[in-house]
Amino acid sequence: MGPAAGIDLCRKIVDQHPADRDQDHIPFILYSVPQIPDRTEALLRDGASPLDGMLDGVHALEQSGVGCIAIACNTAHAWLDALRHRTRLPVLDVVEAVAGELSKCVPPGSPIGLMATEGTHHANVYRPRLEALGYRFVSANEPLAHQTLVNEGIRLTKAGEIRRGGEALAMAMEQLLAAGAQRVILGCTEIPVALATCETPLVRFGLDASAALARACIAWSLAHEAPAHA
């Protein structure tokens, strides 16, 4: 949906897969149609639903012969169940991927933060499931001002002003860390793309949801890899 986000996920799949030559990498197909309606607009302001557009992508990928699907958009996971009910293919879950990574970083009970679109927050994509695992979410001292920074950072990144977007997002991340978060989930695929350009040392406290999903893609592919012919 976000073209930079889709390319970023593919790049992370390539970068994180241990390979010595081209043939060692896992095969994948990117379906990128940015004209799918905005997910946050649909969730917050009764905008056009993205579901039909996402289903078009699912069906195109089914016909291409892929074995599973990953969605390079956190907010779109609000429609994960609807997509899963309309396809025979497994659809990977970014929240499950993040939960697995989070457990390696900080124990349950730890305070964590979430940087995401308003749509992701509104749809409770992350919070209930991670709270059920024992994690405690913290908020910035001024939540509205914090979300404004996140929104602006995402908007600038989508508009191609990636470094300026990263600067806004770094300030937003600093606010969550100041509020006590031990890790901050980077829960929008544009966020890690932007933060990487401003070289903030705070990145080590972020948990990149896109990278977690990329690792889940690799793990799925390796687990379902066809045995080599003798």
Side-chain angles (χ1 to χ4, degrees):
M1 284 154 270
I7 292 169
D8 181 61
L9 177 62
C10 292
R11 182 180 296 112
K12 285 169 178 169
I13 290 172
V14 173
D15 289 347
Q16 294 181 130
H17 186 271
D20 296 320
R21 55 179 187 152
D22 290 346
Q23 291 76 15
D24 294 334
H25 284 281
I26 66 172
F28 60 80
I29 294 173
L30 172 63
Y31 178 89
S32 181
V33 179
Q35 288 70 34
I36 291 172
D38 186 272
R39 283 63 65 197
T40 293
E41 288 294 319
L43 290 166
L44 295 184
R45 290 175 276 277
D46 200 28
S49 172
L51 182 58
D52 285 345
M54 288 193 286
L55 286 170
D56 287 343
V58 166
H59 296 150
L61 291 170
E62 284 176 337
Q63 293 169 17
S64 74
V66 301
C68 79
I69 293 173
I71 308 168
C73 173
N74 286 255
T75 311
H77 280 70
W79 289 270
L80 179 63
D81 287 342
L83 292 173
R84 282 177 163 175
H85 287 142
R86 301 281 289 275
T87 178
R88 57 180 172 75
L89 297 176
V91 184
L92 301 183
D93 179 356
V94 71
V95 181
E96 183 178 325
V98 165
E101 300 275 324
L102 194 60
S103 68
K104 301 172 187 175
C105 302
V106 291
S110 301
I112 60 173
L114 171 63
M115 290 169 60
T117 66
E118 291 178 277
T120 296
H121 285 295
H122 178 78
N124 277 325
V125 170
Y126 278 96
R127 189 163 189 147
R129 292 174 61 187
L130 295 184
E131 284 183 336
L133 296 175
Y135 294 101
R136 296 185 294 111
F137 281 81
V138 301
S139 299
N141 289 335
E142 298 182 26
L144 290 178
H146 172 265
Q147 190 61 45
T148 297
L149 270 177
V150 174
N151 293 348
E152 182 66 359
I154 293 170
R155 184 195 69 78
L156 286 166
T157 303
K158 286 180 177 290
E161 298 186 55
I162 300 176
R163 186 174 183 86
R164 285 183 59 204
E167 291 168 354
L169 291 164
M171 286 189 284
M173 188 173 181
E174 186 172 2
Q175 291 174 354
L176 288 174
L177 294 171
Q182 292 184 13
R183 285 293 185 279
V184 176
I185 298 167
L186 309 182
C188 173
T189 34
E190 275 77 22
I191 293 175
V193 172
L195 287 175
T197 67
C198 65
E199 299 174 353
T200 171
L202 302 179
V203 169
R204 69 184 186 277
F205 296 108
L207 197 160
D208 183 344
S210 301
L213 184 59
R215 284 188 280 273
C217 291
I218 294 167
W220 188 96
S221 182
L222 294 178
H224 295 82
E225 192 172 39
H229 295 294

